[in-house]
Amino acid sequence: MTERTVITFGTFDVFHVGHVHILERAASYGNRLVVGVSSDALNFSKKQRTPVYSQQDRLKIISSLSFVDTVFLEESLDLKEQYIKKHNASILVMGDDWLNKFDQFKAICDVVYLPRTPSISTTAIIEVVKSIE
């Protein structure tokens, strides 16, 4: 059987069932799943907020999942092509909130955008928790 490595990226802060769903679906596209977890600095540059959980905690959470084979720290959005090549990924899977944003990588791998789990988001969860305080 030919190895088909899938790679995906995310912050995975305040881990929830939506994260499980997209990672499980990503894993189903191949026989090896590699996950890049956004560093605290990268997350701040994208979202203008520090994650609730540290990058070390988020790496630990993702690496504990049975269907995840390799986890690494994603330091820059500009290094996506290098990450894909380094991990010999044949498929890049991203949530559809990134639709068409990574099509430039179709020359080196398949690019798949998966729908997000409806009615759940880390940002919404954080806002609900803040409102309770």
Side-chain angles (χ1 to χ4, degrees):
M1 183 168 152
T2 304
E3 182 168 288
R4 290 188 46 88
T5 298
V6 177
I7 192 167
T8 191
F9 300 86
T11 301
F12 305 107
D13 195 20
V14 186
F15 194 76
H16 54 70
V17 72
H19 293 133
V20 174
H21 288 162
I22 199 160
L23 290 170
E24 281 180 326
R25 287 182 290 160
S28 75
Y29 279 80
N31 49 18
R32 183 169 172 264
L33 179 60
V34 175
V35 180
V37 174
S38 299
S39 69
D40 290 344
L42 175 56
N43 189 72
F44 189 83
S45 73
K46 290 189 302 188
K47 301 179 181 183
Q48 306 312 301
R49 69 173 172 79
T50 304
V52 173
Y53 294 112
S54 71
Q55 62 193 30
Q56 290 79 17
D57 288 349
R58 293 180 288 113
L59 286 164
K60 177 72 174 171
I61 290 166
I62 300 304
S63 67
S64 73
L65 300 170
S66 61
F67 46 85
V68 173
D69 298 290
T70 302
V71 180
F72 68 95
L73 196 61
E74 178 189 20
E75 301 281 358
S76 170
L77 294 175
D78 297 329
L79 297 176
K80 285 258 195 291
E81 183 173 354
Q82 287 177 257
Y83 296 135
I84 292 166
K85 289 178 177 178
K86 177 181 179 181
H87 293 282
N88 298 313
S90 52
I91 305 164
L92 168 63
V93 173
M94 296 297 294
D96 64 1
D97 50 327
W98 291 96
L99 189 62
N100 302 319
K101 298 279 192 315
F102 298 107
D103 288 354
Q104 71 268 28
F105 301 123
K106 288 182 176 180
I108 60 170
C109 66
D110 294 335
V111 178
V112 176
Y113 299 98
L114 298 177
R116 294 171 56 100
T117 302
S119 304
I120 189 162
S121 82
T122 300
T123 302
I125 292 169
I126 291 170
E127 291 306 314
V128 167
V129 171
K130 280 183 179 176
S131 72
I132 294 171
E133 293 182 80

